[in-house]
Structures are given as structure tokens and as C-alpha cells.
Amino acid sequence: KIAALARLVAAGLPVPDGFHVTTAAYQSFVRVHNLEPAILFELASVDGSQPGQVDAASARIQALFSQAPMPDDIADAIASEYEHRWPDSPPVAVRSSATTEDLPDLSFAGQHETYLNIRGAAAVVERVKQCWGSLWTARAIGYRAQHHIETRDSTDLSLAVVVQLLVPAEASGILFTANPLNGRRDQ
């Protein structure tokens, strides 16, 4: 998602102003709180075909993210960028951008969270953390299991976050410039 937005900006197309929080920040959060062993432990015991197991593992992983405070250096960087760009605190969208999204044969559309109409640096920081935690929702864990995407360590999966000015819209949509099933540009 972030790479696609960067290509649109480079092409001179109108893209709402914003910034991104890197996958390195996500990995730092996981490392600082030593979450990887607990995440891997939860995932090791999950049978992806058993929704109850997936839900339980997700709830325990989500609790880890919820309870862990945002490291000061990351929180300060996010807040500083938000306040520098938008001193009047306009509403923004806080959108996930996972490393496993938009694979050649899979689409992760809707698997991770997006938060709309977020105002203020503190709220943005909290929503970034919630986006990171959404890498481990039951639907995301189940989808990865269904498609045999393994998690052996924290570098297998990661999540960046896009913070963009919110565009008030009456309607929205997606334009495909190629057939999403076969890549043909004449369909």
C-alpha cells in the first residue's frame, strides 16, 4: 500500500498528504516487549481449520499488543510528524500496510484494520499500535493459515502504517487497470 502510494505521488497524481510508520518500528515494538516468543507459542498450537482455536490465540496476542505501551521514541516520532504536518489536528485515516498484502496470488484486502476520523497525536499513536495488533486478528491468522503462509519468526510478517489526511467522500471505489486474476491489461 505504501509503495503504491509513493508511486502515485511520484507520478504527480493527487494523493492526500501523509506519512508512514515503518515495519522497523513495528519490529522494534515487538522486540522491546519481547512479544515474539508469545506470538510464536500461540500460533504453534493453532489449527487454522478450528475457528475457536484461532479466536483464542488471536485474543491472547491482541491482549499483548493492547497492554504493551508504545516505546517513547516511536510515540514521539509519530506525534512529532503528525503535529508538524498538521498543527490544527485535522482528521486522518490510520491504515495498515502489511508485508504480506497484495501477493501475486493473494489479496489481504480487509484483513487488517483501518481507523478513520482520528484526531490528535495521542489518538494517532494509539491507533498505530492497534493497526500493528491487527496483524494478529482471528481473520488474518485464519487467512494466512488457509493459504499456508507460515510465521517462523517476527521477520516473516510485519506491518507498516499509513497516516493520511482523511478525504471526506460520498462514494469511493477501486479501479483495476489490469484483470486482477490474470494480469491482462486488455481486460
Side-chain angles (χ1 to χ4, degrees):
K1 190 177 296 170
I2 292 170
L5 288 169
R7 285 192 299 274
L8 292 173
V9 169
L13 295 167
V15 175
D17 187 29
F19 64 93
H20 73 277
V21 182
T22 66
T23 56
Y26 167 85
Q27 291 167 354
S28 177
F29 178 86
V30 169
R31 187 175 47 258
V32 163
H33 296 297
N34 197 30
L35 298 180
E36 183 177 347
I39 291 169
L40 294 177
F41 174 79
E42 292 297 339
L43 296 177
S45 62
V46 170
D47 176 349
S49 68
Q50 300 296 317
Q53 289 182 18
V54 175
D55 288 341
S58 172
R60 289 188 293 268
I61 295 170
Q62 294 283 309
L64 295 171
F65 276 80
S66 177
Q67 295 164 4
M70 182 68 84
D72 288 341
D73 61 331
I74 298 172
D76 292 347
I78 294 168
S80 176
E81 187 63 29
Y82 177 85
E83 291 166 347
H84 172 75
R85 281 179 185 270
W86 308 301
D88 56 342
S89 296
V92 296
V94 180
R95 307 171 61 205
S96 60
S97 182
T99 55
T100 55
E101 288 180 5
D102 301 327
L103 297 173
D105 298 332
L106 300 173
S107 170
F108 275 78
Q111 296 299 319
H112 308 109
E113 297 300 330
T114 291
Y115 299 96
L116 303 176
N117 206 29
I118 308 304
R119 289 179 184 265
V124 169
V125 168
E126 184 58 29
R127 291 301 190 265
V128 166
K129 188 171 78 162
Q130 290 174 339
C131 274
W132 287 343
S134 76
L135 190 59
W136 307 105
T137 62
R139 71 178 176 259
I141 293 170
Y143 190 78
R144 286 190 299 266
Q146 177 186 359
H147 295 287
H148 310 290
I149 298 172
E150 293 184 33
T151 305
R152 294 174 304 281
D153 61 46
S154 63
T155 61
D156 286 341
L157 298 173
S158 202
L159 195 134
V161 177
V162 179
V163 179
Q164 282 185 289
L165 280 175
L166 186 68
V167 175
E170 293 180 22
S172 65
I174 297 171
L175 170 69
F176 289 101
T177 57
N179 183 325
L181 297 176
N182 61 25
R184 289 187 53 185
R185 294 194 174 275
D186 63 339
Q187 296 181 334

